[in-house]
Amino acid sequence: MSSPTPDALLGPADVRDLAAALGVRPTKQRGQNFVIDANTVRRIVRTAEVRPDDVVVEVGPGLGSLTLALLEVADRVTAVEIDDVLAAALPTTITARMPERSGRFALVHSDAMHVRELPGPAPTALVANLPYNVAVPVLLHMLETFPSIERTLVMVQSEVADRLAAPPGSKVYGVPSVKANWYAEVKRAGAIGRNVFWPAPNVDSGLVSLVRRAEPVRTAASRQEVFAVVDAAFAQRRKTLRAALAGWAGSAVAAEAALVAAGVSPQARGESLAVEEFARIAEHRSARNADEHKEPVQQ
């Protein structure tokens, strides 16, 4: 692999000049905050443990700061960008600043939530500065849609990072924590200062590492069935599971039966349960429903 030129990455002046030339102002609507520090994007690539054989997918590349840093290391990079102006400009930026790597870059002009396939080889890693307002749904969608993604590193709002990486029993443990853990081992992987962005956000940012589980959660229930339990448990998180799951199960009595069968206290709350326990609860509801719908045996 030939080495990129030393000044290939975007600095503060480059980002502002590029934005001015395109008539771009970062918008709050799309949660855009552009990284203007080359050391930060290289740090993200290192923390993500991107390898020379990786096929990386990036969501929300913006002006290309992180994209260029990924192309320094990865075999291929596919960027998914929803913004019309940014999507049109990015290939030109890559070709101008890193011509020897431009053949290893692909752009998908789309809303990441609608992406079901990507060009080229299957992605092995997801690395992204995710727009704060859609970070969790985009992350979960990508993990579900592309099971080939083994390693993920995302930069998100600090409190979102805390929620994603929270263990059972934590005050911020909730739906994002459980659903992310369905797919991967999740941990905080560092903090990012506000001054590396333009414009500087009003919130701190954090890095979250997700390493795909070597073995999926062992359960007879489907992902949709497990996630339905999770959603119900946290919709009224102050209630006991017996009460919170009454609607999901059909009644409080049915919820209690499913909980007891799963070995979970009906008086527990969702924040105390690991993903495996939610899966057991889902199994017992689906098993009971299957029993209820069996055809009567003809004598």
Side-chain angles (χ1 to χ4, degrees), residues 265-277:
S265 168
Q267 301 308 308
R269 287 174 170 78
E271 63 208 48
S272 67
L273 270 57
V275 65
E276 291 82 1
E277 292 168 294

Side-chain angles (χ1 to χ4, degrees), residues 33 61 72 79 112 119 202 212 244 261 295:
N33 297 92
E72 282 189 327
N202 295 322
R212 176 93 53 179
E295 292 292 329

Side-chain angles (χ1 to χ4, degrees), residues 213-228:
R213 286 173 173 266
E215 291 186 7
V217 177
R218 292 187 178 183
T219 177
S222 68
R223 178 190 61 82
Q224 292 88 341
E225 288 169 334
V226 177
F227 282 15

Side-chain angles (χ1 to χ4, degrees), residues 60-76:
L63 293 167
S65 298
L66 179 57
T67 318
L68 289 162
L70 289 166
L71 278 168
E72 282 189 327
V73 180
D75 182 46
R76 293 176 181 274

Side-chain angles (χ1 to χ4, degrees), residues 295-299:
E295 292 292 329
V297 177
Q298 298 297 321
Q299 297 296 329

Side-chain angles (χ1 to χ4, degrees), residues 4-217:
T5 54
D7 59 350
L9 301 195
L10 299 174
D14 300 312
V15 170
R16 291 189 173 89
D17 289 349
L18 191 51
L22 297 173
V24 167
R25 287 291 302 176
T27 69
K28 284 188 178 180
Q29 180 186 1
R30 289 190 172 156
Q32 291 170 329
N33 297 92
F34 300 137
V35 181
I36 57 174
D37 180 62
N39 289 330
T40 296
V41 290
R42 283 202 173 107
R43 174 189 160 198
I44 291 170
V45 173
R46 283 196 309 272
T47 306
E49 298 181 1
V50 175
R51 301 187 297 247
D53 60 346
D54 270 322
V55 178
V56 179
V57 58
E58 179 191 9
V59 174
L63 293 167
S65 298
L66 179 57
T67 318
L68 289 162
L70 289 166
L71 278 168
E72 282 189 327
V73 180
D75 182 46
R76 293 176 181 274
V77 176
T78 299
V80 180
E81 177 58 65
I82 189 174
D83 187 285
D84 295 341
V85 174
L86 295 173
L90 188 55
T92 303
T93 301
I94 300 301
T95 300
R97 302 190 73 91
M98 211 173 277
E100 71 287 352
R101 301 293 293 151
S102 59
R104 298 286 180 168
F105 171 75
L107 177 82
V108 175
H109 181 195
S110 176
D111 181 339
M113 291 297 294
H114 299 156
V115 170
R116 290 285 169 190
E117 57 184 12
L118 295 167
T124 59
L126 166 65
V127 184
N129 170 21
L130 289 178
Y132 289 168
N133 50 349
V134 293
V136 171
V138 165
L139 172 63
L140 296 176
H141 169 74
M142 296 298 286
L143 291 173
E144 175 200 344
T145 307
F146 301 102
S148 60
I149 293 174
E150 301 163 358
R151 285 162 290 113
T152 295
L153 188 80
V154 291
M155 179 159 55
V156 294
Q157 188 173 332
S158 188
E159 65 178 45
V160 175
D162 289 340
R163 286 203 297 271
L164 283 168
S170 163
K171 287 183 178 179
V172 295
Y173 183 74
V175 171
S177 326
V178 184
K179 291 185 177 179
N181 205 243
W182 168 267
Y183 298 105
E185 302 295 333
V186 189
K187 66 177 183 179
R188 279 290 300 253
I192 301 290
R194 302 181 187 192
N195 61 343
V196 303
F197 295 97
W198 173 69
N202 295 322
V203 293
D204 293 321
S205 301
L207 298 175
V208 182
S209 164
L210 302 97
V211 177
R212 176 93 53 179
R213 286 173 173 266
E215 291 186 7
V217 177

